[in-house]
Amino acid sequence: MSDDSRSSGEGGGVERPRPQYGEYATAEEQRARIQRPEVTEALDAGVAPQPQPQPQAAPVADAPAGFVAPATRGARVDRIVTFGLLFYGLFSVVTTIVQLLNFPEYAERGAQMLGVTATFTNLSAGYVWGAAAALVYGVGWLLTAVFTWRRLRRGRVAFWIPLVGFVATALIAGICVTMALVGDATFMSAILDSVPN
């Protein structure tokens, strides 16, 4: 339909002025020009746009009134548990890092918990491995927080990531601590002598 034919006749013989900006375009023509700019030339030539197939929406079952989806409640509980684990992990990591940076005192305190009085003497190895273990704890917590945040943003269950992150970080940091302890033969022999046969 051309602009001239739209401007005449349909309104009871009263002629409307010729449109300048497409004010008299039908809803289909407006949608076609917005969604598919390539049909603008066809419309200007007086050719009607081809209708686009509309995607079918999946049928949704009606939920009873007052029904709360379990996924929503579960997601809220998962977020609370996940953030609780992350904050507890942050507190634990910070306090552990502070202790590991003074490794001789950390090792002697551990021996006292076992009921052994021993002095850690391999100071250089203790400070190096203690710093390495502290770095492992810090980086491990940061990676755990990043993976947890990414999973939460996708709307997936994430409470298990802080638990796995803690176990993996503790294993690697434990190797660093063990390397420092094994490097002090006197300290290790005092601990091993206290173990009952």
Side-chain angles (χ1 to χ4, degrees):
M1 175 181 282
S2 68
D3 291 338
D4 294 332
S5 62
R6 274 199 303 258
S7 63
S8 65
E10 293 180 33
V14 177
E15 285 206 24
R16 297 188 286 185
R18 183 180 176 97
Q20 296 180 4
Y21 304 107
E23 303 94 75
Y24 301 141
T26 65
E28 292 83 18
E29 291 172 334
Q30 291 174 5
R31 277 195 297 275
R33 287 181 188 240
I34 291 170
Q35 293 176 356
R36 298 179 1 211
E38 69 273 4
V39 301
T40 300
E41 296 166 3
L43 289 172
D44 288 340
V47 178
Q50 296 296 322
Q52 285 184 298
Q54 298 295 325
Q56 295 290 332
V60 179
D62 292 330
F67 177 77
V68 177
T72 304
R73 194 177 315 132
R76 190 177 309 125
V77 170
D78 176 60
R79 284 180 180 264
I80 292 170
V81 170
T82 302
F83 283 121
L85 288 171
L86 281 177
F87 285 124
Y88 175 75
L90 179 62
F91 174 76
S92 176
V93 162
V94 169
T95 56
T96 304
I97 286 174
V98 170
Q99 293 173 5
L100 285 170
L101 291 177
N102 186 3
F103 192 82
E105 185 179 327
Y106 175 80
E108 291 168 6
R109 191 176 309 122
Q112 288 173 358
M113 290 173 62
L114 295 173
V116 178
T117 304
T119 303
F120 188 82
T121 56
N122 193 359
L123 300 180
S124 60
Y127 285 121
V128 169
W129 285 109
L135 182 66
V136 166
Y137 272 113
V139 170
W141 187 89
L142 286 175
L143 289 175
T144 300
V146 167
F147 286 128
T148 302
W149 180 252
R150 289 176 64 186
R151 192 155 175 94
L152 284 173
R153 287 191 61 185
R154 292 183 187 141
R156 296 184 178 164
V157 175
F159 77 91
W160 59 272
I161 295 178
L163 298 175
V164 171
F166 167 74
V167 171
T169 303
L171 285 175
I172 298 170
I175 292 171
C176 296
V177 169
T178 304
M179 293 301 290
L181 294 175
V182 169
D184 190 342
T186 307
F187 185 82
M188 284 304 295
S189 65
I191 291 178
L192 293 175
D193 289 344
S194 68
V195 176
N197 291 334

